Amino acid sequence: MTTNTPAVATATPETQAPRETYLNCSSGFMSWAGTLDHKRIGIMYLVGVGIAFLAGGLFALLVRLHLWEPEGLLFSNLDYNQVFTLHGAFMVFLFVIPAIPGSIGNMVLPLMVGAKDVALPRLNLLSFYLWLTGAILATLAIVLGGFDTGWTFYAPYSLYTDKAVVTIGLAVFVLGFSSIFTGLNFIVTVHKLRAPGMTWFRMPLMVWALYSTSILQVLATPVLGITVLLVAFERLYHIGIFDPRLGGDPVLFEHFFWFYSHPAVYIMVLPAFGIISELVSVHSRKPLFGYKLIAFSSLAIAIISFLVWGHHMFTSGQSTYAMFAFSFLTFFVAIPTAIKEFSWVATVWKGSVALNSPMLYALAFLIIFAIGGLTGVILGTLNVNLHLHDTYFVVAHFHYVMMGSISLAFFAGLHHWWPKMFGKMYSETLAKIACLIIFVGFNMTFIPQFIMGSRGMPRRYATYVPEFEPFHQASTIGAIILGCGVALMVFYLLQSLLSGKKAKENQWGGVTLDWHTPTPPPHLNFDHEPKVVHEVYDYSTLDYESMQRDAT
Amino acid sequence: MSHDDHHAVVVPAPGPEFVPHEVAHHFSTPVQEFQSGKLGFWLFLATEILLFGGLFAAYFYFHEVYPETFRVGGQQLDWRLGALNTSVLLLSSWTMAMGVRSAQTSQKSKTLMFLGLTVLGAAIFMVIKFFEYKAKNEHGLIVFSELFRPFIENPDGTGSLAWFQDYHGVMAGVPHGHMFFAIYLTMTAIHGLHVVIGAGLIIWIMFGTAKGRFHAGYFMPVDLVGLYWHLVDLIWIFLFPLLYLVP
Amino acid sequence: MSDTATATDAHDAHGHGELEMGHIHVSSAAMFFKVLVALLFLTFITVAVSRFDFGSMNMLIAMAIACVKASLVIAFFMHVKWDTAINKIVFLGSFLFLALLFVFTLADLLTRRLDHEMHTIKSPVDKEWVQPKPQADGNH
Ligand SMILES: [Cu+2]
């Protein structure tokens, strides 16, 4: 770690040698592998979750290709179980949960509150290595026989199957602690490391969203940890608490699992809300409509999400009374969520919207999330759920949220902060084309799944009745289009690193602190300790000259 | 991490037997550093509470389903040993609190003594625990050598556990007698792991104390390890009545 | 409190522990000892009351005493009494969220009995249904 010498931030743009940034202030393998700089850790996360996303996406394409024919094209039924499990587990645990907090959050949160780093940099590095360990264990589990339980590890099947459930359970446990430590770090950073003048209500909404996410990560994830631990114990020495043969109760497993995994949905989606809040404001050049409402709705979502987990268990043998309560409480989640959606739309309304590529991704999010959110309310309704449970309707619903909303928000954020991170600009034309392809491909993949689901196509089946063939084929074609869009995105982003033109100092005209530091930022984030005197999103303070000046 | 950052804040040592503390580069004051570490650790302890909470939820769940099993099972544990272990842990919590206090007041040898006593308490606890496990092993209530043997399944769907033999038939009259011991073993084993980790951490800060790193100006690591140790105690305070004196 | 002391008047500190850490509270040794005695006494009480059968109140009484002991450890040994507001909220708040796990999970279990009466369909963890008949109990 001694190789990681911090830069003394003195250089000005006009000096001879290239300005010292966090990217060039030190070099060599150890300067990255042992770095304590939140920005470099963010980049390492970005590479990691990016690879996990591509792997998960590959599994998704295999699933879709297999379903081209009613009898299945590629795999035996048992192998199919493994492929969709791999898709789910990789996407959920290695990509969606860590993606935004780990990469973009790590990169921008300290910048946004005006701190030199996160509060606990060593813990931050540990988080990343735990993520890496989890990824290695998950890959190892594939080698050790794979796993075919679905990403939910439902007992009792997960107790009986002869696959590598203990290994993947260990991976989930380790990944859980990676997520906990990231959340813990962000909470401490927000509480203790805000720059002078950065009051709670001057914090950008991205920070509020990450803060709310962190509360969930810290409080919900340990229960997942103990759950997978208990599953491992069950498999190793048959304690019997989830095993009906031994007097245990699988429903208890589901309670434990969903106590985490419902809030986990908000661990995934709240950071996406944060990104959209930032982007909608910056690219409309307008303060956010209802700043405090959005801030508090994040917290409200975080709290309410602990009260509704039973809506995943309507067909699991819960008591009817518990189902009433869980269904009723589920509707309350819709309120803060709708507040956000309306606030974003009201912000865009009559703003001077610049249709930059990040904004295009954000607008795609607004449309897709409206569908994903509303179908969630439908599914939360007890009597409707009994019919739609475990059908493609559910699959389509959560893909509208997880893929369509969260991944698109992640892409939006990536495009927004890419020039900040690397000082390089990608091709805007290609970015807009890719966004369009992804939007079309995505909807083509999942709209047929809504229809199939409402007609009774069950999820996780390797084969299906011939009536569904056209829908499945449309969905597969959509997935391929979606894949092409993602491939194009990866291409132009990587290309920008090699031969992209220089980004502007303040590419989009943001006024939060992350745009008040040189691009790319110096090792210690700010040349001078920032003092915040303006309200957040006060565009009268925008320095237009910085939007014209090339990054150094 | 060595760095040429001229902002580095240094807390002076209170005496020649101590070393000064350098505040990490991204903090502006020692208070900020202390409070950040402390808040972070409280958050970590919150995760521990929820982690153990899952086990407690399982306990209450099955206590409700199989009250007789739990009542009879609890009678198989020796409450005298449990009470003794509770007292040992409470005493060690007290020595830990005194150890932190000594570090706060820059009393090096006293700190070392109290931390050493705390480790001793941990060791006594584990030794007593060992003899308890041994007794359970001898009665066939937890046959440790058979723990990892697969569940033996009969064609009619019933089966038998290798690790639960119940040589004296004490659990014969109650349904699923293994259930109490499964929960007893899981909870005490995870708690025991925390005792061992806690003892390791205390030994680690004893080295730092011996080198004079911790004093009135900087005692955060001692404080945090102390909190961890009290949490271990806290969990046992609930485990003792629930397992040994099943209500 | 008379039996606590701040850094500057800790009786047995040689030359008074000077603290650069702002308002760090150093409790007096006497107070720690009193807490220890209280904890040991309560342990004795726990064992003593477990000798008597209060029926369904047993669990409540045992947990109430454990909670008092836990509060003593948290407030004094863990210094929460003198800690910052946010640290208090974090630690005590975690118990609140734990309570959610307990309440909903147990509420489900306990109301399944009512379900049973309502539908006469046996739910998987209905007591009589799960408990094997004596002759099938064989090895256990
Ligand atoms: Cu949910």
Side-chain angles (χ1 to χ4, degrees):
Chain A
M1 264 162 261
T2 42
T3 47
N4 185 8
T5 328
V8 182
T10 49
T12 57
E14 274 70 45
T15 46
Q16 57 299 355
R19 187 178 59 85
E20 264 204 325
T21 71
Y22 80 100
L23 290 169
N24 65 13
C25 66
S26 58
S27 61
F29 177 74
M30 276 315 289
S31 80
W32 282 85
T35 184
L36 297 178
D37 182 348
H38 67 100
K39 299 179 287 305
R40 286 193 170 191
I41 293 172
I43 300 285
M44 293 198 293
Y45 256 117
L46 183 60
V47 174
V49 299
I51 292 170
F53 175 73
L54 295 180
L58 194 70
F59 294 129
L61 280 177
L62 288 176
V63 167
R64 285 315 322 162
L65 283 176
H66 174 79
L67 295 171
W68 183 259
E69 281 179 359
E71 287 312 308
L73 205 57
L74 301 176
F75 311 106
S76 71
N77 292 356
L78 289 178
D79 288 344
Y80 176 80
N81 291 346
Q82 293 211 31
V83 179
F84 78 68
T85 302
L86 281 173
H87 165 63
F90 266 64
M91 281 301 199
V92 170
F93 294 113
L94 288 172
F95 174 69
V96 191
I97 290 174
I100 299 178
S103 62
I104 297 177
N106 244 325
M107 179 63 82
V108 303
L109 182 121
L111 289 172
M112 282 182 154
V113 298
K116 286 183 193 155
D117 204 321
V118 292
L120 310 159
R122 280 190 182 77
L123 192 69
N124 199 20
L125 186 64
L126 176 67
S127 273
F128 173 72
Y129 280 111
L130 286 177
W131 181 89
L132 197 63
T133 311
I136 292 169
L137 280 171
T139 315
L140 196 68
I142 305 177
V143 182
L144 292 175
F147 40 105
D148 59 353
T149 58
W151 75 275
T152 47
F153 308 108
Y154 264 24
Y157 183 70
S158 60
L159 313 180
Y160 302 161
T161 177
D162 58 355
K163 301 294 189 298
V165 176
V166 174
T167 315
I168 187 69
L170 196 62
V172 169
F173 186 84
V174 171
L175 288 168
F177 271 89
S178 159
S179 166
I180 287 173
F181 290 150
T182 303
L184 190 157
N185 227 329
F186 285 179
I187 293 180
V188 181
T189 309
V190 169
H191 271 280
K192 303 294 178 195
L193 257 59
R194 279 173 288 129
M198 177 58 78
T199 60
W200 281 83
F201 292 113
R202 281 178 180 169
M203 293 196 312
L205 286 163
M206 176 75 177
V207 178
W208 273 99
L210 286 170
Y211 180 78
S212 309
T213 309
S214 304
I215 295 175
L216 292 175
Q217 285 174 305
V218 168
L219 289 174
T221 319
V223 178
L224 175 75
I226 195 70
T227 312
V228 292
L229 218 55
L230 287 172
V231 168
F233 289 170
E234 285 277 11
R235 289 184 64 89
L236 295 173
Y237 68 95
H238 306 284
I239 51 177
I241 70 170
F242 297 145
D243 190 343
R245 294 181 306 188
L246 297 169
D249 186 1
V251 180
L252 184 64
F253 170 87
E254 293 185 29
H255 276 301
F256 283 2
F257 181 80
W258 290 111
F259 180 85
Y260 165 74
S261 292
H262 180 77
V265 173
Y266 295 95
I267 292 177
M268 305 180 217
V269 83
L270 277 172
F273 290 166
I275 288 180
I276 299 302
S277 302
E278 290 303 312
L279 266 61
V280 161
S281 170
V282 171
H283 296 273
S284 306
R285 189 95 18 108
K286 218 175 127 190
L288 258 162
F289 180 84
Y291 167 91
K292 282 194 182 175
L293 277 177
I294 297 189
F296 284 127
S297 67
S298 288
L299 283 177
I301 287 175
I303 307 297
I304 298 173
S305 71
F306 277 98
L307 306 172
V308 302
W309 78 80
H311 63 215
H312 297 269
M313 303 165 58
F314 287 158
T315 60
S316 302
Q318 247 183 137
S319 93
T320 320
Y321 298 89
M323 294 202 277
F324 290 157
F326 280 129
S327 180
F328 178 71
L329 289 168
T330 298
F331 294 126
F332 286 93
V333 182
I335 298 170
T337 315
I339 287 175
K340 284 179 188 289
E341 181 88 21
F342 289 133
S343 297
W344 295 323
V345 175
T347 308
V348 178
W349 184 255
K350 292 191 176 167
S352 55
V353 178
L355 283 178
N356 305 315
S357 53
M359 187 59 171
L360 276 188
Y361 279 102
L363 290 176
F365 168 96
L366 289 184
I367 297 165
I368 291 174
F369 183 69
I371 300 172
L374 285 172
T375 49
V377 179
I378 295 172
L379 284 171
T381 315
L382 179 52
N383 45 0
V384 180
N385 183 287
L386 292 178
H387 294 277
L388 294 175
H389 203 96
D390 272 351
T391 65
Y392 266 55
F393 194 90
V394 177
V395 175
H397 154 68
F398 73 71
H399 277 89
Y400 260 78
V401 177
M402 292 212 208
M403 171 64 208
S405 305
I406 299 166
S407 304
L408 243 63
F410 173 66
F411 299 157
L414 197 57
H415 284 74
H416 183 74
W417 280 290
W418 189 269
K420 186 84 219 172
M421 290 179 191
F422 300 107
K424 293 283 177 61
M425 209 27 213
Y426 45 83
S427 154
E428 271 276 271
T429 323
L430 284 181
K432 287 173 184 171
I433 294 171
C435 178
L436 198 70
I437 296 175
I438 289 174
F439 183 75
V440 170
F442 173 81
N443 282 296
M444 191 167 164
T445 312
F446 293 105
I447 288 175
Q449 297 193 8
F450 272 129
I451 301 169
M452 279 190 280
S454 63
R455 295 180 183 184
M457 170 76 208
R459 69 190 282 201
R460 293 178 170 172
Y461 276 41
T463 58
Y464 53 87
V465 290
E467 291 96 290
F468 291 128
E469 192 170 11
F471 295 106
H472 272 295
Q473 292 188 344
S475 182
T476 302
I477 293 170
I480 292 168
I481 296 174
L482 177 57
C484 292
V486 172
L488 177 61
M489 184 182 79
V490 173
F491 165 74
Y492 66 72
L493 285 180
L494 291 180
Q495 188 205 32
S496 79
L497 292 182
L498 299 174
S499 57
K501 61 180 191 302
K502 273 197 169 157
K504 302 294 175 203
E505 190 67 27
N506 185 349
Q507 181 75 31
W508 315 110
V511 287
T512 44
L513 280 184
D514 46 329
W515 299 102
H516 274 292
T517 170
T519 299
H523 176 72
L524 291 175
N525 289 352
F526 296 94
D527 289 343
H528 313 282
E529 195 190 5
K531 273 207 168 46
V532 185
V533 289
H534 298 287
E535 295 310 309
V536 66
Y537 307 126
D538 181 354
Y539 288 93
S540 66
T541 63
L542 178 58
D543 169 19
Y544 285 92
E545 189 267 338
S546 71
M547 293 181 67
Q548 309 301 324
R549 186 170 10 109
D550 273 350
T552 45
Chain B
M1 209 172 105
S2 69
H3 42 86
D4 46 354
D5 186 3
H6 57 275
H7 296 301
V9 181
V10 174
V11 183
E17 73 272 39
F18 293 107
V19 289
H21 167 67
E22 191 180 306
V23 175
H25 76 280
H26 57 296
F27 294 115
S28 20
T29 64
V31 176
Q32 189 187 31
E33 183 183 49
F34 176 77
Q35 291 190 343
S36 299
K38 197 117 183 210
L39 175 58
F41 205 78
W42 278 116
L43 286 161
F44 173 70
L45 292 187
T47 70
E48 287 275 23
I49 295 283
L50 279 138
L51 196 124
F52 267 98
L55 292 173
F56 279 101
Y59 175 94
F60 287 118
Y61 197 90
F62 289 106
H63 182 275
E64 181 58 33
V65 179
Y66 306 118
E68 268 304 286
T69 309
F70 274 63
R71 196 182 58 78
V72 180
Q75 287 166 359
Q76 309 310 315
L77 305 183
D78 189 340
W79 67 268
R80 280 169 297 249
L81 288 181
L84 181 62
N85 247 351
T86 309
S87 311
V88 169
L89 266 196
L90 290 174
L91 273 165
S92 77
S93 229
W94 173 72
T95 53
M96 188 73 226
M98 291 301 289
V100 174
R101 186 180 179 281
S102 312
Q104 284 172 329
T105 48
S106 307
Q107 293 165 286
K108 192 166 148 183
S109 49
K110 256 186 150 183
T111 311
L112 275 173
M113 179 191 76
F114 279 120
L115 293 180
L117 283 173
T118 313
V119 175
L120 183 68
I124 295 172
F125 180 89
M126 289 313 288
V127 169
I128 295 176
K129 198 84 232 143
F130 170 77
F131 282 107
E132 285 190 83
Y133 278 157
K134 198 163 160 255
K136 297 290 134 333
N137 193 45
E138 279 157 11
H139 290 99
L141 295 170
I142 304 168
V143 187
F144 283 89
S145 58
E146 303 286 327
L147 260 188
F148 297 100
R149 270 264 296 279
F151 178 73
I152 304 146
E153 201 170 354
N154 302 331
D156 63 349
T158 62
S160 56
L161 282 169
W163 65 262
F164 183 72
Q165 299 293 336
D166 191 11
Y167 300 138
H168 308 304
V170 287
M171 304 297 287
V174 295
H176 298 297
H178 71 277
M179 199 56 113
F180 176 79
F181 295 97
I183 286 185
Y184 164 77
L185 175 64
T186 308
M187 290 182 108
T188 53
I190 295 183
H191 178 263
L193 183 69
H194 279 73
V195 172
V196 173
I197 293 173
L201 289 173
I202 296 170
I203 291 171
W204 172 60
I205 55 166
M206 282 174 79
F207 280 107
T209 308
K211 285 179 192 151
R213 289 219 187 98
F214 309 128
H215 44 77
Y218 179 71
F219 54 84
M220 185 175 73
V222 188
D223 202 4
L224 300 188
V225 171
L227 290 179
Y228 186 85
W229 189 252
H230 296 312
L231 184 88
V232 172
D233 185 31
L234 204 61
I235 290 161
W236 186 260
I237 285 176
F238 286 94
L239 283 182
F240 169 58
L242 287 177
L243 293 174
Y244 290 80
L245 312 165
V246 179
Chain C
M1 270 179 92
S2 58
D3 57 350
T4 63
T6 49
T8 37
D9 60 20
H11 320 293
D12 50 349
H14 306 290
H16 302 303
E18 266 311 311
L19 289 190
E20 288 83 0
M21 307 297 298
H23 280 321
I24 292 302
H25 178 270
V26 179
S27 306
S28 79
M31 187 210 67
F32 277 147
F33 191 73
K34 282 178 195 165
V35 173
L36 173 67
V37 171
L39 285 169
L40 291 173
F41 177 69
L42 283 167
T43 306
F44 172 75
I45 297 284
T46 315
V47 177
V49 295
S50 76
R51 304 290 103 185
F52 304 97
D53 188 10
F54 298 98
S56 57
M57 294 294 284
N58 282 344
M59 179 65 89
L60 218 63
I61 293 169
M63 286 299 97
I65 299 173
C67 284
V68 174
K69 286 169 78 181
S71 310
L72 287 175
V73 172
I74 292 172
F76 298 104
F77 282 177
M78 298 175 96
H79 268 108
V80 167
K81 192 164 181 280
W82 299 276
D83 216 325
T84 57
I86 179 66
N87 290 356
K88 281 180 190 162
I89 293 171
V90 165
F91 192 59
L92 301 177
S94 70
F95 289 97
L96 214 70
F97 283 89
L98 185 58
L100 294 178
L101 177 67
F102 282 16
V103 166
F104 279 99
T105 308
L106 292 174
D108 166 36
L109 181 70
L110 295 173
T111 52
R112 273 183 231 170
R113 222 172 280 155
L114 303 174
D115 246 13
H116 174 82
E117 287 152 19
M118 201 163 75
H119 301 295
T120 68
I121 298 169
K122 301 207 173 206
S123 90
V125 169
D126 188 86
K127 281 188 184 179
E128 302 86 64
W129 196 67
V130 164
Q131 293 178 8
K133 287 160 196 69
Q135 67 268 26
D137 206 35
N139 205 8
H140 294 300

